[in-house]
Amino acid sequence: MIDALGRNITYLRLSVTELCNLRCRYCMPEECVCKLKHSQLLTEEEMIRAVHAAAKLGITKVRITGGEPLTKPNILSICRNAAQTPGILETDITTNATLLPGLALSLREAGIRRVNISLDTLNPEKYRAITRLGELNSALRGIEAALNAGFEKVKINAVLIGGFNDDEIPALAALTVKWPVDVRFIELMPMPGSADFGPESFIPVSRVLDALPEAVQEREEGVAKLYRLPGALGKVGLISPLSQHFCAACSRIRLTADGKLKPCLHSAEEISIKGLNEEEMMEKMRLAILLKPACHAELSAASPSRAARNMNQIGG
Ligand code: SAM
């Protein structure tokens, strides 16, 4: 599907749950007050129907997300069915990795090709502070499980937060030397439901380059600007939703766990597909794609996202 501005929409982010086993401060409130009734959630059958509908409209890539997708009891079946959908060439997952040790091999066998893992710090106390619940070691064990499971690509995503982890840029980037992973720094986005972050927390990813003078630029890939440290096995990526948005290259639509299509991450516009048949879902997806705005409003500490949902209710 080509949208009203000529962008080719090929990528569906499918959130399978808004529940999470962590409570990242930039993502969701401490008390997870958001539990939906079972009847409000898409069933597995509806999720897969939506993937089929999307594939018929030209979507070729699906990323499974959440909440924490690995807390979903039927996650393997969802992944397998999404990956086997005719027209879907790539099915990936985004996870905090803490449950990967028991699931990595099965996810690979279910057809997951690439894994993105969220990891903002290598300091156990800071990991506990930012996730409110997490143990750094569980995430590190999950990364090792992912590396051993034979995924085509493992990426580590770190949200860059001024005064919190900007002192760890060299240590996080050095993971690309130790392991065959890409490490991508993402600017903190001012989302509803996140803890209060002051203006000093919102720093541009250009700071990463200041901290890595030895990094050499590589060709751009998707929304990330890429660099490589000397001798590294993987790349360092910079993703800049605030300082240099990439709306003109946006190829995504999002589907939330309660069946709302979101044409844009940062707009309140939502279109429900809960309870619809495949034809009707396709109709709503066409509409969502046509409603994709040219760009979202400017984001800053003073001008937060208009998403009208916490990030765990969207999927990132
Ligand atoms: N639970 C999974 C995880 O931790 O990766 C998947 C869901 S999480 C909502 C998806 C991504 O959104 C994560 O990489 C997370 O860091 C990112 N994210 C959440 N809130 C964010 C914010 N305010 N700014 C930037 N990235 C954010």
Side-chain angles (χ1 to χ4, degrees), residues 13 19-22 24-28 64-69 94-97 116-120 157-160 186-191 194 197 202 241 311-316:
R13 287 206 172 179
L19 300 181
C20 192
N21 57 345
L22 301 181
C24 295
R25 300 175 66 85
Y26 46 70
C27 186
M28 64 195 292
I64 311 278
T65 178
E68 175 46 50
T94 299
T95 171
N96 60 38
N116 284 3
I117 293 173
S118 303
L119 181 75
D120 306 319
N157 288 337
V159 178
L160 185 63
I186 303 173
E187 288 172 355
L188 173 67
M189 292 182 269
M191 299 303 292
S194 84
F197 287 97
F202 296 88
M311 199 65 124
N312 68 300
Q313 300 169 311
I314 303 173

Side-chain angles (χ1 to χ4, degrees), residues 3 13 26 29 39 52 94 100 117 139 154 193 236 238 242 289 294:
D3 80 356
R13 287 206 172 179
Y26 46 70
S39 59
H52 278 255
T94 299
L100 265 183
I117 293 173
V154 177
V236 172
L238 309 186
L242 276 72
I289 289 170

Side-chain angles (χ1 to χ4, degrees), residues 12 32 147 150 159 165 245 251-252 265 291 299 309:
L12 171 69
C32 187
L147 291 171
V159 178
N165 61 359
H245 67 74
S251 60
R252 301 165 186 188
L265 169 58
L291 284 174
L299 298 170
R309 282 173 180 258

